[in-house]
Amino acid sequence: MHFGKTYSQLLLTLSPELRENAIEYGQLKKLINKVVLELDSFGLNPQVLQSLLEHGPHDHVFSTTQTDWNTPLQMDSSLGLEHAQLHPTVIYEIESKSASDFEPRLRISFGHDAVVSNHDMTIVPSADQVKHIVDAAVHPHDETGMTSSYDHLEPSDTGQDFVIPLRSDTAFICLLTSALSSLSNHFSKLYKEYMSSLAALAVSISSNARPVSSSSPHSFSAYLLSAHNVTNVRPGSMGKSDLYFWREVFQQYVEAEIFEGIGEANRGDRSVEEAERRLVLFCQRVTKKEGPLRLSGSKEALEVFVKINTFILDVKKFQLATAEAIRKILKKHTKRTALPIPAHLLSASGASSEVVPFARPIIPLQRLLVQAIGEVLLPVVPHIDDYSCLICMSIAFKPVKLDCGHLFCVRCLVKLQKRGKENCPLCRAPTVLTANRANVDYALLNFMSDWFPVEAREKLRANEREAAQEELEELGFRPDSGCIIT
């Protein structure tokens, strides 16, 4: 199947706002055909142009590609320049009149040894003149073996340039650059609208994933050193909140790595097919979790979250298809016409330059959208891994912050003190034995009991069982020794 049909079919699967701003691939192909016909009218088929042009330096405001014709042409003696040799040069240039107005053209310049040319003056030749010049350049000797001459030109013409405006090529470049500029503006608009939708979704999720203090005000109490209630910490039960549902959804989303792999073995962007497969699997998993939802707003927020990720997938498809369409149309233009498109017109840098109509973002749009989820949405629900003790790897409840700044759960710190370990496990600073009740981080204690009530209760029960077992062992009772009644 031809790319044009594949491209059209892909656009039909995308949203109308993306489809309406797609590259007009079919129209650009038609303009290439017109460029070919226009060049043929001057006797400049691709083979002839390919032999006359070769890539040169881009040192001017417009791009040029030039080569000197290898055979110097002798001037006819009737022109009065018997000893002068003409060196015709063909240049393909694109003059930038404005940021969106370009004029591609072919310039035929004459330089010679005995006469100083005035290149400030230009002449637009007729089609017959161009054919004569091209024939003299490509075939410097006619069938009789005589050198071709320029006796049809006026003497003053030898000091001037011939310019061939390429009107069809002008329409092609203007359409392409206009489409790219419009696409760039559309991407900027999409990004702003997306960030606004993401912020609104973050507010919606935060209202449905409320902590204990918001969902059950009477079940939470602040723990302070002055209140002497830290020894009786009992985090309240969950009220009407979907906190744990959203925590699990976000955890599965991170683990799914839908659009980009973060592991060592599969790091980098996913292909469209792989990203789509992973998104479908993620949606299937979270759909099964809808049963225990306590708030109706969570279901609506989940639907929006899925739609946002579907939109990112569509943007990824659209960007890849657009890049391939541009690559193919430029390749087709160069192959059919032998006219190279200057690379700097589609450069990824220099967005402020008047010559550059479109500057591709340094970071692809779909990657920016995925990063925004990690920066705006995921932090709405705190993750337990960020509040774990670095010794036991479970939640650091009752958290004790050493004088060196490192934080551990109280049971792990007590164990270190009983063993006489004075050095911090992380920085080796002698801060363990000096820690006491004043080192309890009450702000973090309140935060954990508020956002992680289930994990906090489990950690408290585990600590109490472990403390009770240690007390029995100190009294000489061992669980594995059995109980003897006399």
Side-chain angles (χ1 to χ4, degrees), residues 464-486:
E464 289 171 354
R465 286 195 301 266
E466 189 174 353
Q469 183 178 345
E470 290 179 357
E471 290 179 3
L472 290 175
E473 290 178 354
E474 291 176 357
L475 295 174
F477 294 97
R478 296 183 178 276
D480 56 351
S481 63
C483 181
I484 300 177
I485 300 178
T486 59

Side-chain angles (χ1 to χ4, degrees), residues 5-16:
K5 294 182 179 180
T6 305
Y7 184 61
S8 299
Q9 291 178 0
L10 173 63
L11 293 180
L12 292 176
T13 65
L14 304 179
S15 61

Side-chain angles (χ1 to χ4, degrees), residues 96 119 130 272 275 351 363 468:
S96 174
H119 290 283
V130 175
V272 170
I363 302 177

Side-chain angles (χ1 to χ4, degrees), residues 82-94:
E82 302 180 16
H83 304 291
Q85 284 187 330
L86 288 180
H87 300 272
T89 301
V90 173
I91 304 171
Y92 175 63
E93 63 185 26
I94 298 180

